[in-house]
Amino acid sequence: MKHDTINIDKIIYPSGKIKTMLIILLALMLPAISYTVYISGGIQYVYSHSMYIPILLAGLCFGIKGGAGVAVIAGLLLGPFIPIDTASGEPQLLANWIFRVCIFLLVGASNGLLFDLLRKKIKSIVDLSTHHRDTGLPNSSSLCENAENSIHMVASIVINNYYNIINSFGKEIFTELIKAFYQSLQESFESATVVQADSCKLWLCFGADTAEELKNATTTYQKEGLSLKGIPMYLDFSLGIAYSSGHDEIKKALQQADIAAFHARQENLPHCFFDEKQLINENNNLKLLSQFSQAMNAGETELHYQPQIDLRTRDIIGVEALMRWKHPKRGFIPPQEFIKAVEETYLINPLTEWVIDKSLRIAEVLKNKGFAASVSINISAKNLQNPGFFDRAMGIIKDHDVAFDQIVFEMTESSLMHDPDANKILLHKFKDYHIKLAIDDFGTGYSSLAYLKRFPIDIIKLDRYFIGQMTNDQSVAYIVQAAIELSHKLHVTVVGEGVENTQTEQMLQNMGCDIVQGYYYTRPLDEAGILAWYQNHIS
Ligand code: C2E
Ligand code: CA
Ligand code: CA
């Protein structure tokens, strides 16, 4: 069965049954009033004014046509057949009853017109509140209240490459695309209600468990995209599914489907079913986030530093700055537990700016002690998307006495691919200042060496899981070897991350890897620790 969205016409116009009853009522009222006027002594008495009742009623219910029509009939019924005085039989003057018809017509038509305009206005207000303003598709408020009982399964589809599409093709194309997607989903699932919950999110409500069919259909869209005016468009979206357990549960189920879609996106899965653990995670994330905004000011965050070593010369070339949060109650919280959540908020900007400032301060300390002090800083995708990031970052950098070419910004491949064209321009702006740029976690994303040509990259950092597998898996070793050779041909430096033993170090050295970093040398250390470590290794 189809769960209707709100049909405003049903509310503002009388339905079939009421319409018939009104017509019967008017058909009875009109002659009855005419007869009453006749038997009460003729048109000279006041009873003729009761004719305004059916005229106004007709205008109210049937608009201008109804009001005008009934006014003419009413005028005729009180016209030539009704005398001025029934007893004497004296007829009305022609001008008299014609004038009355005109007045009735004026009252009936203007009253009908007023109600027609009112209905139109109500309709446009309801339309606005129940449809998305860009696409005109039904939105979440159009989900009919009384359909809630029959909804069993809901799904949330969140389009992740929303900004990419808008940046590359413009908002109109995105609008067309989401309309085509909506249409296609509605055609595939005729019995479902599909609404646009916000600019890049669709909700689907089903009367039965349709998870398998939905997963299959969405996998096809994810693989093949959607054709718009003959152009195949790539849609990157996450699907979240939840079940509703009856009345009043639909809002909760939709929220759960949203959480599941968010979880799918975070975990890089095509779809995800809601489970309570995600809610606990979400609540924890929210709690953490609300505390994190205070944490930086309260001095609960600090940076640890992991040295990077030149494999040929064995010299220490610098450090990577890694964030730490010492929570007063929960103790040490590792970055993986809060950075992803922080990245979903504006807080990632003050966080990164704090890291730049703090890590450049340690670079100054190291430099003053005569140590090599390049410093690598992790930059998030959201920083790159933030319009003021370049100016703010450069402002902080210029406040420190650190050479620009001693600063490395580390970014993952996926963060660059969020908006490749804009990122290319931004990276070139940093490059103009000779700030070095590194691709972090190389081997976990698309691992396409094409990035090295597309972006002005100086360094790739081979991911630690990749490096870890290398000693056990010959095919991984071949890939690492090929990546190192190709990078060198393109004059790109290679850093091996996560070196934990001498065997790995030896392999990397044989392959010509330039720089290494890992627990084999030391875990990340706090400020005092890294200074002591430098001291030990230099002397
Ligand atoms: P990442 O940028 O890949 O940082 C390297 C991670 O590998 C660090 O984890 C480091 O402690 C760990 N590591 C280093 N050597 C070894 C090794 O030999 N074996 C193993 N198993 N691990 C090793 P950490 O500090 O927990 O940071 C995790 C991730 O959190 C970082 O991965 C980075 O993505 C993110 N992160 C840390 N600090 C920041 C920051 O200031 N800003 C941003 N945006 N992200 C940060
Ligand atoms: Ca890093
Ligand atoms: Ca890394």
Side-chain angles (χ1 to χ4, degrees):
M1 108 248 53
K2 167 117 180 91
H3 308 291
D4 284 338
T5 49
I6 289 173
N7 185 346
I8 186 63
D9 284 357
K10 270 192 189 162
I11 299 169
I12 58 177
Y13 292 108
S15 66
K17 229 179 185 174
I18 295 177
K19 212 171 178 174
T20 317
M21 277 162 62
L22 280 165
I23 292 172
I24 295 171
L25 182 69
L26 288 170
L28 292 173
M29 264 175 114
L30 289 163
I33 293 169
S34 172
Y35 182 65
T36 309
V37 172
Y38 182 82
I39 60 163
S40 61
I43 203 84
Q44 63 178 321
Y45 298 105
V46 74
Y47 303 106
S48 60
H49 290 291
S50 40
M51 207 46 121
Y52 285 111
I53 298 169
I55 295 172
L56 291 173
L57 190 66
L60 188 151
C61 300
F62 302 112
I64 186 166
K65 284 186 195 151
V70 168
V72 171
I73 298 169
L76 290 174
L77 285 174
L78 292 185
F81 314 109
I82 306 284
I84 291 187
D85 181 354
T86 313
S88 67
E90 185 191 342
Q92 300 177 53
L93 291 174
L94 178 70
N96 195 358
W97 71 261
I98 289 195
F99 184 74
R100 189 181 310 108
V101 170
C102 292
I103 294 293
F104 279 3
L105 196 60
L106 186 71
V107 171
S110 55
N111 175 55
L113 179 70
L114 197 75
F115 279 100
D116 277 347
L117 291 175
L118 201 66
R119 276 196 190 89
K120 229 172 150 182
K121 202 84 206 152
I122 293 174
K123 215 172 154 200
S124 69
I125 291 170
V126 172
D127 263 5
L128 264 179
S129 68
T130 54
H131 290 79
H132 193 271
R133 65 177 185 286
D134 294 334
T135 58
L137 296 174
N139 66 15
S140 50
S141 23
S142 73
L143 273 177
C144 202
E145 294 280 317
N146 55 24
E148 293 189 1
N149 270 334
S150 50
I151 292 176
H152 175 65
M153 186 191 103
V154 298
S156 168
I157 291 182
V158 180
I159 298 171
N160 301 323
N161 60 340
Y162 167 70
Y163 287 110
N164 266 355
I165 298 172
I166 288 191
N167 287 334
S168 313
F169 303 102
K171 200 164 175 193
E172 276 100 64
I173 293 290
F174 181 77
T175 304
E176 289 307 312
L177 191 64
I178 197 157
K179 274 160 83 174
F181 192 29
Y182 171 93
Q183 195 68 36
S184 182
L185 283 168
Q186 190 70 85
E187 277 163 18
S188 309
F189 300 98
E190 275 180 4
S191 63
T193 300
V194 189
V195 300
Q196 185 176 3
D198 66 31
S199 303
C200 53
K201 183 164 77 186
L202 297 175
W203 277 342
L204 293 90
C205 302
F206 299 86
D209 188 345
T210 324
E212 276 313 306
E213 292 91 321
L214 184 62
K215 269 161 44 186
N216 292 340
T218 50
T219 307
T220 311
Y221 290 122
Q222 277 161 337
K223 272 195 199 138
E224 296 172 9
L226 215 78
S227 175
L228 195 67
K229 294 176 186 157
I231 306 164
M233 303 283 288
Y234 173 61
L235 261 184
D236 170 17
F237 61 84
S238 316
L239 167 69
I241 299 172
Y243 293 93
S244 163
S245 50
H247 197 54
D248 290 339
E249 291 293 308
I250 176 78
K251 281 197 188 95
K252 195 168 147 198
L254 286 165
Q255 241 173 29
Q256 294 175 339
D258 281 351
I259 293 171
F262 180 72
H263 188 76
R265 194 182 110 180
Q266 289 242 306
E267 299 302 315
N268 239 334
L269 300 167
H271 58 258
C272 205
F273 286 89
F274 173 78
D275 95 44
E276 291 294 329
K277 274 189 226 138
Q278 293 162 8
L279 195 61
I280 295 167
N281 242 342
E282 169 113 329
N283 287 341
N284 283 346
N285 279 349
L286 282 177
K287 236 192 251 163
L288 269 187
L289 274 178
S290 66
Q291 294 168 353
F292 186 78
S293 51
Q294 309 296 327
M296 274 193 299
N297 296 333
E300 289 169 19
T301 51
E302 57 179 68
L303 284 184
H304 281 199
Y305 305 91
Q306 190 175 38
Q308 297 181 324
I309 293 136
D310 185 314
L311 252 188
R312 262 181 302 268
T313 62
R314 298 272 151 184
D315 291 338
I316 307 163
I317 56 148
V319 293
E320 175 176 4
L322 294 156
M323 180 82 156
R324 300 289 178 260
W325 180 5
K326 276 188 181 160
H327 191 279
K329 286 201 187 112
R330 288 182 50 183
F332 163 73
I333 305 176
Q336 272 111 329
E337 276 189 33
F338 65 90
I339 291 222
K340 264 190 184 173
V342 174
E343 276 177 340
E344 295 300 322
T345 73
Y346 187 80
L347 283 174
I348 190 63
N349 294 308
L351 179 147
T352 302
E353 286 154 29
W354 180 84
V355 175
I356 298 175
D357 185 50
K358 189 99 175 75
S359 58
L360 292 187
R361 229 177 294 157
I362 190 96
E364 283 171 329
V365 173
L366 291 170
K367 192 181 118 185
N368 290 339
K369 290 186 181 289
F371 300 145
S374 100
V375 59
S376 294
I377 298 161
N378 292 287
I379 305 292
S380 146
K382 295 287 158 64
N383 298 137
L384 302 176
Q385 287 160 19
N386 184 263
F389 177 67
F390 175 79
D391 290 333
R392 291 197 305 272
M394 287 314 298
I396 300 167
I397 292 169
K398 284 173 185 167
D399 274 347
H400 291 275
D401 183 23
V402 177
F404 293 146
D405 65 1
Q406 293 296 295
I407 301 168
V408 182
F409 279 174
E410 297 189 2
M411 293 146 290
T412 59
E413 294 166 74
S414 53
S415 70
L416 291 179
M417 288 318 284
H418 258 281
D419 186 354
D421 293 334
N423 285 335
K424 190 174 164 186
I425 295 169
L426 179 65
L427 296 194
H428 273 288
K429 280 166 81 177
F430 283 120
K431 259 313 325 155
D432 289 345
Y433 279 93
H434 303 289
I435 286 169
K436 290 201 175 129
L437 304 169
I439 295 211
D440 204 356
D441 302 345
F442 190 87
T444 55
Y446 305 86
S447 305
S448 158
L449 289 161
Y451 294 108
L452 306 182
K453 254 185 85 82
R454 185 160 189 182
F455 300 107
I457 297 300
D458 304 283
I459 299 164
I460 62 163
K461 295 190 76 176
L462 299 169
D463 188 65
R464 62 177 189 272
Y465 295 110
F466 219 42
I467 297 291
Q469 279 178 14
M470 192 180 67
T471 45
N472 305 323
D473 189 336
Q474 186 59 41
S475 55
V476 175
Y478 287 141
I479 297 171
V480 171
Q481 173 81 70
I484 294 173
E485 282 171 12
L486 192 67
S487 302
H488 284 168
K489 285 204 177 100
L490 296 167
H491 308 291
V492 170
T493 303
V494 182
V495 177
E497 269 194 319
V499 177
E500 292 187 351
N501 51 48
T502 176
Q503 194 194 354
T504 312
E505 182 195 67
Q506 196 57 54
M507 264 182 105
L508 285 171
Q509 193 160 26
N510 295 342
M511 288 175 177
C513 177
D514 306 288
I515 296 162
V516 279
Q517 175 182 350
Y519 291 173
Y520 180 55
Y521 310 98
T522 173
R523 285 177 180 257
L525 301 164
D526 64 12
E527 196 169 323
I530 194 74
L531 288 173
W533 194 87
Y534 256 91
Q535 210 84 52
N536 279 339
H537 282 75
I538 304 286
S539 51

